[in-house]
Amino acid sequence: MSRFLAPRLQALDAYTPGEQPRDMVYTKLNTNESPFAPPQAVIDAVSAAEVADLRLYPDPTCRQLKEKLAATYGVKAENVFVANGSDDILNFAFMAYSGNGVTYPAISYGFYSVYAALYGAAAVEVPLKEDFGIDPADYFAARGMVVIANPNAPTGIALSLDQVESIVAANAENVVLIDEAYVDFGGESALPLIDKYDNLLVVRTYSKSRSLAGARLGFAFASPAIIADLEKIKYSTNPYAINRLTLVAGHAALEAEDYYKNCCAEIIKNREDTALKLRELGFSVLPSCANFLFAKHESISGAEIYAGLKQRGVLVRHFSKPLIADYNRITIGTKEDMQRLIAALQELIGGRK
Ligand code: PMP
């Protein structure tokens, strides 16, 4: 840290992304990426001609992509925002709406507490229920903006649309942000509610179900007034945040909905098969609607499972927060990825007996 850093940033505990080690080739089940490549149409869209056009700035309004998203999801273009990954949208929302504080689950996406600290927002972290679910009633008299990942991460547990609506309705004076990064793997989207509630902001990403984590593309749906707020921040920070190649890849991806639906169906199948096998090996596994499982072993610690898997070439994500330190978050990959995971666990657990 230099002596020039603003005092309010000196104590900031930055977000720690999942590790990307280069010492060997791992079966990478630690950052919830898709195991499937994007479809050929997306790869073709990033053409030599588009690359040659990189000398030109991209369209800062992202008009074509917004119109395509609007048509795909049955909303108006004025209800759509696009950004450089959904992290950017979360960042903008905290910047804009956390002035009166922010309320989110104590166990959730780790970036929420980082953004709260970045903007000096008073943060209320609401404990989960004993079964790791979210009780909507805990958010009915919430302080400031409400942020809920649905399905939640790292638990994978989802709220129903009725439960989400009850939270949105109870917080009419504040923005309720529903982070739907994992909704395509079995959750229910709050998108149908955006015309009814002007305080609802639904945030989505291309990083998980659309196999484009490396392209950095996030999108959001809300009332035109909320979208205008987010545009204002984008135009006050980085209007060209979405590059030309990502714009065309994002457009082409929306024309390949069937391909992605099949990928999601395969991941859901692999998730359920893996949950079964993990239970046979002595794990308790939370009921997941996401592209990952959150699991703890009856007799081996979470840290030991993590280290033993890494040693055997399988990367999963371990969090050291005391309440969840017994667990690991395991991204769902291909059938072969999951076979490698189970084989490594059999060896690890067998070696302990
Ligand atoms: N929300 C949740 C709950 C996430 O797990 C992630 C991925 N780490 C994000 C948002 C951010 O995704 P991206 O910026 O890649 O769109």
Side-chain angles (χ1 to χ4, degrees):
M1 179 181 358
S2 83
R3 62 200 160 91
F4 309 110
L5 187 63
R8 71 179 184 86
L9 297 180
Q10 287 177 13
L12 186 66
D13 212 357
Y15 178 71
T16 312
E19 61 188 323
Q20 313 273 3
R22 302 272 177 239
D23 57 330
M24 60 178 271
V25 179
Y26 289 92
T27 298
K28 202 170 167 303
L29 306 178
N30 70 327
T31 46
N32 297 343
E33 290 142 329
S34 172
F36 303 114
Q40 193 58 42
V42 170
I43 296 168
D44 292 344
V46 184
S47 63
E50 290 293 340
V51 174
D53 275 348
L54 284 179
R55 70 187 181 81
L56 301 168
Y57 282 111
D59 170 16
T61 69
C62 305
R63 187 181 56 82
Q64 282 181 328
L65 180 60
K66 275 190 172 189
E67 283 172 0
K68 188 79 184 165
L69 277 163
T72 304
Y73 286 94
V75 297
K76 299 197 185 83
E78 64 191 17
N79 296 117
V80 184
F81 182 69
V82 289
N84 188 300
S86 60
D87 281 338
D88 244 12
I89 303 174
L90 299 175
N91 179 19
F92 291 3
F94 274 78
M95 200 188 296
Y97 303 124
S98 67
N100 295 326
V102 57
T103 301
Y104 51 84
I107 303 294
S108 194
Y109 183 33
F111 232 133
Y112 303 155
S113 57
V114 177
Y115 288 131
L118 181 60
Y119 296 110
V124 179
E125 302 196 343
V126 182
L128 296 180
K129 294 188 295 180
E130 210 159 308
D131 63 2
F132 279 18
I134 288 170
D135 183 350
D138 287 343
Y139 297 83
F140 288 173
R143 175 168 185 183
M145 175 169 72
V146 176
V147 179
I148 291 186
N150 191 40
N152 196 12
T155 63
I157 298 174
L159 290 172
S160 69
L161 183 55
D162 285 349
Q163 289 176 312
V164 170
E165 179 164 10
S166 69
I167 296 170
V168 180
N171 289 280
E173 296 312 310
N174 281 297
V175 167
V176 176
L177 186 161
I178 306 296
D179 179 349
E180 296 188 349
Y182 301 104
V183 76
D184 292 330
F185 304 102
E188 261 184 297
S189 177
L191 174 60
L193 303 178
I194 60 161
D195 284 337
K196 193 166 165 193
Y197 297 98
D198 69 353
N199 61 324
L200 172 62
L201 172 57
V202 177
V203 178
R204 306 282 286 263
T205 179
Y206 276 71
S207 296
K208 317 293 179 184
S209 57
R210 285 203 171 84
S211 306
L212 285 172
R216 311 304 302 127
L217 192 53
F219 55 109
F221 302 113
S223 61
I226 285 187
I227 299 300
D229 296 343
L230 299 174
E231 291 291 354
K232 186 176 197 163
I233 296 179
K234 178 179 157 183
Y235 276 82
S236 305
T237 51
N238 183 2
Y240 299 117
I242 306 174
N243 72 74
R244 298 182 79 92
L245 303 183
T246 294
L247 282 175
V248 291
H251 198 274
L254 293 174
E255 288 175 347
E257 290 289 85
D258 287 348
Y259 173 85
Y260 289 117
K261 279 200 182 105
N262 287 336
C263 292
C264 289
E266 191 154 342
I267 287 168
I268 291 169
K269 179 173 186 322
N270 294 348
R271 180 183 74 208
E272 297 311 310
D273 290 349
T274 306
L276 215 65
K277 294 201 177 100
L278 288 173
R279 289 189 183 109
E280 282 167 13
L281 285 171
F283 282 88
S284 48
V285 184
L286 298 188
S288 172
C289 288
N291 67 340
F292 54 81
L293 289 168
F294 204 47
K296 77 167 175 180
H297 194 262
E298 61 200 14
S299 56
I300 307 177
S301 77
E304 207 177 326
I305 296 272
Y306 161 82
L309 282 175
K310 186 169 180 185
Q311 211 176 24
R312 291 168 177 79
V314 180
L315 271 190
V316 297
R317 185 100 198 243
H318 180 250
F319 300 93
S320 52
K321 255 191 182 178
L323 203 60
I324 53 171
D326 282 342
Y327 286 79
N328 278 287
R329 192 194 67 192
I330 305 166
T331 303
I332 303 302
T334 61
K335 202 169 158 195
E336 294 71 32
D337 291 334
M338 303 330 280
Q339 281 165 351
R340 280 197 290 277
L341 167 84
I342 296 298
L345 283 172
Q346 279 165 340
E347 193 184 288
L348 171 63
I349 292 165
R352 281 283 311 259
K353 281 186 181 151

